[in-house]
Amino acid sequence: MTNPRIINVISNKNLESKRTSKELAEKLTAKGFTVKYQYDVNAELNICVGGDGSFLRAIHRNKFPTIPFVGINTGHLGFFQEILPENIDDFIHKYMNKQYITEEISLVDAEVCTKEKCYYLSGLNEIVVKGARSKVIHMDVYIDGNHLENFCGDGMIISTPSGSTAYNFSVGGSIIYPTLNTMQVTPLAPISSAAYRSLLNSVVVPGESTVALKLRHRHTNSTLIVRDGVEFKYNNLDRINFTISDKKIYKLIFDKNMYWSNLKSKFL
Ligand code: NAP
Ligand code: MN
């Protein structure tokens, strides 16, 4: 007997997602696949049913799996989610005929160092450093050890290419194609005045670079770190080093033009 072809279906809890998952599972089963709702590490594919938030949570909950993902959009925006619920038959047909390409999605790693020890976070969209108490935050920004600026403002977003259409985009950062090997350092409400000078635009750095943010003394206990929408708080925070992660996420792309048509239809 040959090994079963296992597919994980990871769905959020809304009604439309549950209905879509049920239909998807029935259709996959009819084609001979074994569908798992409990994450199976032996699966060949992860299908995430929901919006972008569901995709982010599926990645974090399953610890950045190397099993490729495809998304069925039942979310509000669903920029990551290529397949529409009405196109499930077409998707299964193309999947079985290997009519897709696999794109590598990069993650941003943060080494968060307090005065005592360092902690590690990885983000798919971005990692944000911002004030926890509505005060202007001051931090020194270094790129590969070079001092760039003493930043003053609300905070800084370090975003991945695939996260560039999320928070980064809302604050005026550039859209970066997901397979490019870069990080974008985007200021949140930077102050540029006679009192303070901060860069007003984002900086796109090479994928091999390290971006370091060193907090000025009075912010060591009033700074928040937000990774893909989830808050983390540390005592005696000193500095954060950002790099592109060695870990990658794999996404199946069925239509190479989708990214551009999505940009137009979802953002304009
Ligand atoms: P959420 O509040 O539902 O997310 C806000 C919106 O961002 C949703 O419409 C979501 O799409 C969309 N989104 C998420 N990742 C995206 C991406 N890579 N490209 C384009 N749009 C994207 O919360 P969530 O669903 O848990 O997502 C967390 C993300 O929200 C964070 O990583 C951050 O990027 C973003 N965020 C944005 C702002 C802002 O724009 N001012 C502020 C805070 C956080 P779905 O509707 O499909 O979920
Ligand atoms: Mn959401």
Side-chain angles (χ1 to χ4, degrees), residues 143-177:
I143 313 241
D144 293 328
N146 302 290
H147 186 259
L148 179 70
E149 61 173 339
N150 170 16
F151 172 84
C152 306
D154 282 2
M156 202 68 96
I157 301 177
I158 315 296
S159 92
T160 63
S162 54
S164 67
T165 44
Y167 199 0
N168 167 74
F169 179 66
S170 305
V171 298
S174 290
I175 294 172
I176 310 275
Y177 194 81

Short mmCIF file of all heavy atoms in Angstrom, two decimals, residues 143-177:
data_model
loop_
_atom_site.label_atom_id
_atom_site.label_comp_id
_atom_site.label_asym_id
_atom_site.label_seq_id
_atom_site.Cartn_x
_atom_site.Cartn_y
_atom_site.Cartn_z
N ILE A 143 22.88 50.37 11.38
CA ILE A 143 22.81 49.40 10.29
C ILE A 143 24.21 48.81 10.14
O ILE A 143 25.16 49.56 9.86
CB ILE A 143 22.37 50.06 8.96
CG1 ILE A 143 21.15 50.94 9.21
CG2 ILE A 143 22.20 48.99 7.86
CD1 ILE A 143 19.88 50.68 8.56
N ASP A 144 24.34 47.52 10.37
CA ASP A 144 25.64 46.84 10.36
C ASP A 144 26.67 47.59 11.21
O ASP A 144 27.81 47.81 10.78
CB ASP A 144 26.15 46.68 8.91
CG ASP A 144 25.27 45.73 8.12
OD1 ASP A 144 24.72 44.79 8.73
OD2 ASP A 144 25.11 45.94 6.90
N GLY A 145 26.25 48.03 12.36
CA GLY A 145 27.16 48.70 13.29
C GLY A 145 27.35 50.19 13.01
O GLY A 145 27.98 50.89 13.81
N ASN A 146 26.83 50.67 11.88
CA ASN A 146 26.96 52.09 11.56
C ASN A 146 25.81 52.87 12.17
O ASN A 146 24.65 52.54 11.93
CB ASN A 146 26.92 52.30 10.04
CG ASN A 146 28.02 51.54 9.32
OD1 ASN A 146 29.18 51.89 9.44
ND2 ASN A 146 27.65 50.47 8.63
N HIS A 147 26.15 53.91 12.92
CA HIS A 147 25.09 54.72 13.52
C HIS A 147 24.39 55.52 12.43
O HIS A 147 25.03 56.24 11.67
CB HIS A 147 25.66 55.67 14.58
CG HIS A 147 24.59 56.41 15.31
ND1 HIS A 147 24.26 57.71 15.02
CD2 HIS A 147 23.75 56.01 16.29
CE1 HIS A 147 23.26 58.09 15.80
NE2 HIS A 147 22.93 57.07 16.58
N LEU A 148 23.05 55.35 12.30
CA LEU A 148 22.30 56.06 11.28
C LEU A 148 21.66 57.32 11.86
O LEU A 148 21.78 58.40 11.32
CB LEU A 148 21.23 55.14 10.68
CG LEU A 148 20.33 55.75 9.60
CD1 LEU A 148 21.13 56.00 8.33
CD2 LEU A 148 19.15 54.83 9.30
N GLU A 149 20.97 57.15 12.97
CA GLU A 149 20.26 58.31 13.52
C GLU A 149 19.89 58.05 14.98
O GLU A 149 19.88 56.91 15.45
CB GLU A 149 18.97 58.56 12.74
CG GLU A 149 17.99 57.38 12.79
CD GLU A 149 16.63 57.66 12.15
OE1 GLU A 149 16.26 58.83 12.01
OE2 GLU A 149 15.95 56.68 11.82
N ASN A 150 19.58 59.16 15.64
CA ASN A 150 18.94 59.07 16.94
C ASN A 150 17.47 59.34 16.66
O ASN A 150 17.06 60.47 16.47
CB ASN A 150 19.54 60.10 17.89
CG ASN A 150 18.73 60.21 19.18
OD1 ASN A 150 17.93 59.32 19.49
ND2 ASN A 150 18.93 61.28 19.91
N PHE A 151 16.71 58.26 16.61
CA PHE A 151 15.31 58.36 16.20
C PHE A 151 14.43 58.90 17.33
O PHE A 151 14.57 58.49 18.48
CB PHE A 151 14.79 56.98 15.76
CG PHE A 151 13.31 56.97 15.52
CD1 PHE A 151 12.80 57.37 14.29
CD2 PHE A 151 12.41 56.61 16.52
CE1 PHE A 151 11.43 57.40 14.06
CE2 PHE A 151 11.04 56.64 16.30
CZ PHE A 151 10.55 57.04 15.06
N CYS A 152 13.52 59.79 16.97
CA CYS A 152 12.51 60.28 17.91
C CYS A 152 11.15 60.18 17.24
O CYS A 152 10.99 60.67 16.11
CB CYS A 152 12.72 61.74 18.26
SG CYS A 152 14.36 62.10 18.84
N GLY A 153 10.21 59.56 17.89
CA GLY A 153 8.87 59.42 17.30
C GLY A 153 8.10 58.36 18.05
O GLY A 153 8.39 58.08 19.22
N ASP A 154 7.13 57.76 17.35
CA ASP A 154 6.29 56.74 18.00
C ASP A 154 6.98 55.38 18.06
O ASP A 154 6.68 54.56 18.94
CB ASP A 154 4.96 56.57 17.25
CG ASP A 154 3.98 57.70 17.58
OD1 ASP A 154 4.35 58.61 18.34
OD2 ASP A 154 2.84 57.65 17.06
N GLY A 155 7.83 55.10 17.08
CA GLY A 155 8.48 53.80 17.08
C GLY A 155 8.98 53.44 15.70
O GLY A 155 9.06 54.29 14.81
N MET A 156 9.32 52.17 15.53
CA MET A 156 9.91 51.72 14.28
C MET A 156 9.33 50.36 13.91
O MET A 156 9.13 49.52 14.79
CB MET A 156 11.42 51.58 14.52
CG MET A 156 12.26 51.64 13.31
SD MET A 156 12.25 53.27 12.54
CE MET A 156 13.73 53.97 13.23
N ILE A 157 9.06 50.20 12.62
CA ILE A 157 8.58 48.90 12.12
C ILE A 157 9.73 48.26 11.34
O ILE A 157 10.30 48.90 10.46
CB ILE A 157 7.38 49.06 11.16
CG1 ILE A 157 6.22 49.78 11.85
CG2 ILE A 157 6.95 47.72 10.60
CD1 ILE A 157 5.04 50.04 10.90
N ILE A 158 10.05 47.04 11.66
CA ILE A 158 11.01 46.30 10.84
C ILE A 158 10.16 45.26 10.11
O ILE A 158 9.67 44.30 10.73
CB ILE A 158 12.10 45.59 11.68
CG1 ILE A 158 12.65 46.53 12.77
CG2 ILE A 158 13.19 45.01 10.80
CD1 ILE A 158 13.38 47.74 12.27
N SER A 159 9.98 45.47 8.80
CA SER A 159 9.05 44.58 8.11
C SER A 159 9.75 43.71 7.08
O SER A 159 10.80 44.06 6.55
CB SER A 159 7.90 45.39 7.48
OG SER A 159 8.20 45.73 6.17
N THR A 160 9.15 42.56 6.85
CA THR A 160 9.63 41.64 5.81
C THR A 160 9.01 42.09 4.49
O THR A 160 8.04 42.86 4.48
CB THR A 160 9.15 40.21 6.11
OG1 THR A 160 7.71 40.22 6.06
CG2 THR A 160 9.62 39.72 7.48
N PRO A 161 9.49 41.57 3.37
CA PRO A 161 8.83 41.89 2.10
C PRO A 161 7.35 41.49 2.11
O PRO A 161 6.50 42.29 1.71
CB PRO A 161 9.64 41.09 1.08
CG PRO A 161 11.02 41.07 1.68
CD PRO A 161 10.78 40.88 3.15
N SER A 162 7.02 40.30 2.61
CA SER A 162 5.59 39.93 2.56
C SER A 162 4.77 40.71 3.57
O SER A 162 3.56 40.86 3.42
CB SER A 162 5.39 38.42 2.73
OG SER A 162 6.01 37.98 3.88
N GLY A 163 5.43 41.28 4.58
CA GLY A 163 4.71 42.13 5.53
C GLY A 163 4.63 43.59 5.06
O GLY A 163 3.99 44.42 5.70
N SER A 164 5.25 43.87 3.90
CA SER A 164 5.32 45.27 3.46
C SER A 164 3.95 45.84 3.10
O SER A 164 3.76 47.05 3.12
CB SER A 164 6.29 45.43 2.29
OG SER A 164 5.81 44.77 1.14
N THR A 165 2.98 44.96 2.78
CA THR A 165 1.64 45.44 2.45
C THR A 165 0.74 45.54 3.69
O THR A 165 -0.43 45.90 3.57
CB THR A 165 0.98 44.49 1.42
OG1 THR A 165 1.23 43.15 1.82
CG2 THR A 165 1.54 44.72 0.03
N ALA A 166 1.30 45.24 4.86
CA ALA A 166 0.52 45.30 6.09
C ALA A 166 0.75 46.65 6.80
O ALA A 166 0.60 47.70 6.20
CB ALA A 166 0.85 44.09 6.97
N TYR A 167 1.12 46.62 8.05
CA TYR A 167 1.31 47.83 8.85
C TYR A 167 2.26 48.81 8.15
O TYR A 167 2.01 50.02 8.06
CB TYR A 167 1.87 47.42 10.22
CG TYR A 167 1.74 48.41 11.35
CD1 TYR A 167 1.15 49.66 11.18
CD2 TYR A 167 2.22 48.07 12.61
CE1 TYR A 167 1.05 50.55 12.23
CE2 TYR A 167 2.11 48.96 13.68
CZ TYR A 167 1.53 50.19 13.48
OH TYR A 167 1.44 51.05 14.53
N ASN A 168 3.36 48.28 7.62
CA ASN A 168 4.35 49.10 6.90
C ASN A 168 3.70 49.98 5.84
O ASN A 168 4.03 51.16 5.71
CB ASN A 168 5.38 48.15 6.27
CG ASN A 168 6.27 48.84 5.25
OD1 ASN A 168 7.15 49.61 5.60
ND2 ASN A 168 6.02 48.58 3.98
N PHE A 169 2.78 49.40 5.09
CA PHE A 169 2.13 50.12 3.98
C PHE A 169 1.26 51.25 4.52
O PHE A 169 1.23 52.35 3.95
CB PHE A 169 1.31 49.12 3.16
CG PHE A 169 0.58 49.73 2.01
CD1 PHE A 169 1.26 50.28 0.94
CD2 PHE A 169 -0.81 49.75 1.99
CE1 PHE A 169 0.58 50.84 -0.13
CE2 PHE A 169 -1.50 50.32 0.93
CZ PHE A 169 -0.80 50.87 -0.13
N SER A 170 0.58 51.00 5.62
CA SER A 170 -0.32 52.01 6.19
C SER A 170 0.41 53.25 6.67
O SER A 170 -0.18 54.31 6.78
CB SER A 170 -1.09 51.43 7.38
OG SER A 170 -1.78 50.28 7.02
N VAL A 171 1.70 53.10 7.00
CA VAL A 171 2.45 54.27 7.47
C VAL A 171 3.38 54.81 6.39
O VAL A 171 4.33 55.55 6.69
CB VAL A 171 3.21 53.99 8.79
CG1 VAL A 171 2.25 53.63 9.90
CG2 VAL A 171 4.25 52.91 8.62
N GLY A 172 3.13 54.45 5.14
CA GLY A 172 3.87 55.05 4.03
C GLY A 172 5.10 54.31 3.58
O GLY A 172 5.87 54.83 2.78
N GLY A 173 5.31 53.08 4.08
CA GLY A 173 6.46 52.27 3.62
C GLY A 173 6.21 51.76 2.21
O GLY A 173 5.09 51.82 1.69
N SER A 174 7.27 51.27 1.58
CA SER A 174 7.15 50.78 0.21
C SER A 174 6.66 49.34 0.16
O SER A 174 6.86 48.58 1.11
CB SER A 174 8.52 50.82 -0.48
OG SER A 174 8.88 52.15 -0.70
N ILE A 175 6.06 49.01 -0.97
CA ILE A 175 5.64 47.63 -1.21
C ILE A 175 6.83 46.89 -1.82
O ILE A 175 7.41 47.35 -2.80
CB ILE A 175 4.42 47.60 -2.15
CG1 ILE A 175 3.23 48.24 -1.44
CG2 ILE A 175 4.12 46.18 -2.59
CD1 ILE A 175 2.03 48.46 -2.32
N ILE A 176 7.20 45.79 -1.20
CA ILE A 176 8.36 45.01 -1.66
C ILE A 176 7.87 43.62 -2.07
O ILE A 176 7.15 42.97 -1.29
CB ILE A 176 9.38 44.83 -0.50
CG1 ILE A 176 9.71 46.18 0.18
CG2 ILE A 176 10.63 44.10 -0.97
CD1 ILE A 176 10.77 46.99 -0.47
N TYR A 177 8.27 43.16 -3.24
CA TYR A 177 7.82 41.84 -3.70
C TYR A 177 8.32 40.76 -2.72
O TYR A 177 9.49 40.79 -2.30
CB TYR A 177 8.31 41.57 -5.14
CG TYR A 177 7.58 40.39 -5.72
CD1 TYR A 177 6.30 40.53 -6.24
CD2 TYR A 177 8.14 39.11 -5.66
CE1 TYR A 177 5.59 39.44 -6.72
CE2 TYR A 177 7.43 38.02 -6.14
CZ TYR A 177 6.17 38.19 -6.67
OH TYR A 177 5.46 37.10 -7.13
#
